[in-house]
Amino acid sequence: MLNDLKGKRVLITGASTGIGAATAVEFGRLGSHVVVHYNSSEDDAKAVVEAIRKAGGKADLLKGDVSVSAEAIRVVNEAAGILGGLDVLINNAGALVQRSPVTDITDELFDRVIDLNVRSVVMASKAAVPHLRKAGGGAIINTSSIAARNGGGPGAGLYASAKAFVSNLTRNMAKEYAADNIRVNAVAPGVIMTPFHQRFSTPEMLEAMRKTIVMGRIGEPQECVGAYVFLASPAMSGYITGQVIEVNGGQLMP
């Protein structure tokens, strides 16, 4: 059933490492033409593009700081130009930025977290909708987080709240654009071993989180990929919109 992803034009923001990189490689393997977006991790992004091309897929590289409105819009429009249109937008760019209790949050940190995790999704989606309409429909898939439901770990209140925003925006957009044949869903990873946790979580924190996971282990980026592929495929999920798929090893069962 995934044959319907062959030839699809896909933009993945934040695709240089972790879940975004693994997802980009899989879409390339399935025959989609992928634009791999990055901001600072150029070497990693180039490696993703090279992996897709070596496997016989089509991929291109695109840099931009999607936390800035004009840049998010430019990235989407340039990607659509490279691809000759757009069928799937995956809003994956995001980060915790810094652990901080609410009492220590500054205006600068607030803006950095919200701009990267919220503004990027809003503005990239805004830019994508006209391209998806022109294509006769398509899919927007946002990356939320388990933190959107459980409030996040120590010092992650801003990040968790930003991801809750993303989950709720997903539901609203699903209603707004269903008439355009645009399906909008989200994937909410749990504790996945990516540069995110390598940077922001200590071994002790990771072990404490592992103990709360029913499956007894921390997930890998590749274990999130299937949810994105499923939500992008009309054959697999053509009657699914406004949903947030939890991928967390049973850590949270909403």
Side-chain angles (χ1 to χ4, degrees), residues 73 76 89 121-130 140 173 177:
I73 292 168
V76 172
L89 168 65
V121 174
V122 173
M123 293 302 172
S125 298
K126 171 185 175 179
V129 166
I140 296 174
M173 289 177 60
Y177 301 112

Side-chain angles (χ1 to χ4, degrees), residues 2 43 46 66 79 98 115 137 141 172 186 198:
L2 294 175
D43 289 342
K46 286 181 177 178
V66 293
Q98 176 186 320
D115 286 349
I141 307 168
N172 174 266
Q198 292 166 1

Side-chain angles (χ1 to χ4, degrees), residues 18-245:
I19 294 169
T23 301
V25 170
E26 181 62 10
F27 272 90
R29 189 188 71 81
L30 291 169
S32 300
H33 184 179
V34 184
V35 167
V36 174
H37 161 265
Y38 74 100
N39 185 30
S40 58
S41 302
E42 183 174 6
D43 289 342
D44 290 326
K46 286 181 177 178
V48 173
V49 169
E50 184 63 21
I52 294 171
R53 290 176 177 173
K54 278 188 175 180
K58 297 177 66 177
D60 289 279
L61 199 62
L62 187 56
K63 179 179 180 178
D65 182 358
V66 293
S67 70
V68 178
S69 294
E71 279 289 278
I73 292 168
R74 178 190 63 79
V75 164
V76 172
N77 289 334
E78 286 195 13
I82 292 168
L83 297 167
L86 189 66
D87 299 300
V88 179
L89 168 65
I90 298 178
N91 283 309
N92 181 67
L96 179 63
V97 179
Q98 176 186 320
R99 289 191 185 275
S100 176
V102 170
T103 50
D104 293 340
I105 291 172
T106 63
D107 283 346
E108 179 187 9
L109 179 60
F110 182 95
D111 289 345
R112 288 175 64 198
V113 174
I114 299 305
D115 286 349
L116 178 56
N117 293 284
V118 173
R119 183 184 299 276
S120 65
V121 174
V122 173
M123 293 302 172
S125 298
K126 171 185 175 179
V129 166
H131 296 292
L132 295 172
R133 282 174 172 158
K134 188 175 180 180
I140 296 174
I141 307 168
N142 299 321
T143 297
S144 183
S145 169
I146 190 173
R149 287 183 180 268
N150 69 13
L158 266 183
Y159 173 79
S161 299
K163 289 301 187 180
F165 184 113
V166 170
S167 291
N168 217 34
L169 178 69
T170 297
R171 299 180 184 103
N172 174 266
M173 289 177 60
K175 297 174 184 177
E176 293 279 353
Y177 301 112
D180 297 302
N181 196 31
I182 299 171
R183 296 181 302 108
V184 187
N185 293 287
V187 177
V191 185
I192 308 298
M193 187 48 69
T194 66
F196 177 104
H197 281 295
Q198 292 166 1
R199 179 180 179 187
F200 297 114
S201 302
T202 65
E204 293 76 17
M205 292 172 70
L206 287 169
E207 177 59 14
M209 287 185 275
R210 185 196 66 77
K211 290 178 178 178
T212 68
I213 299 170
V214 170
M215 293 181 71
R217 63 179 178 82
I218 291 172
E220 296 293 334
Q222 291 77 8
E223 295 180 294
C224 297
V225 169
Y228 292 93
V229 169
F230 169 75
L231 291 172
S233 166
M236 296 290 287
S237 60
Y239 195 52
I240 296 176
T241 197
Q243 304 303 308
V244 180
I245 296 182

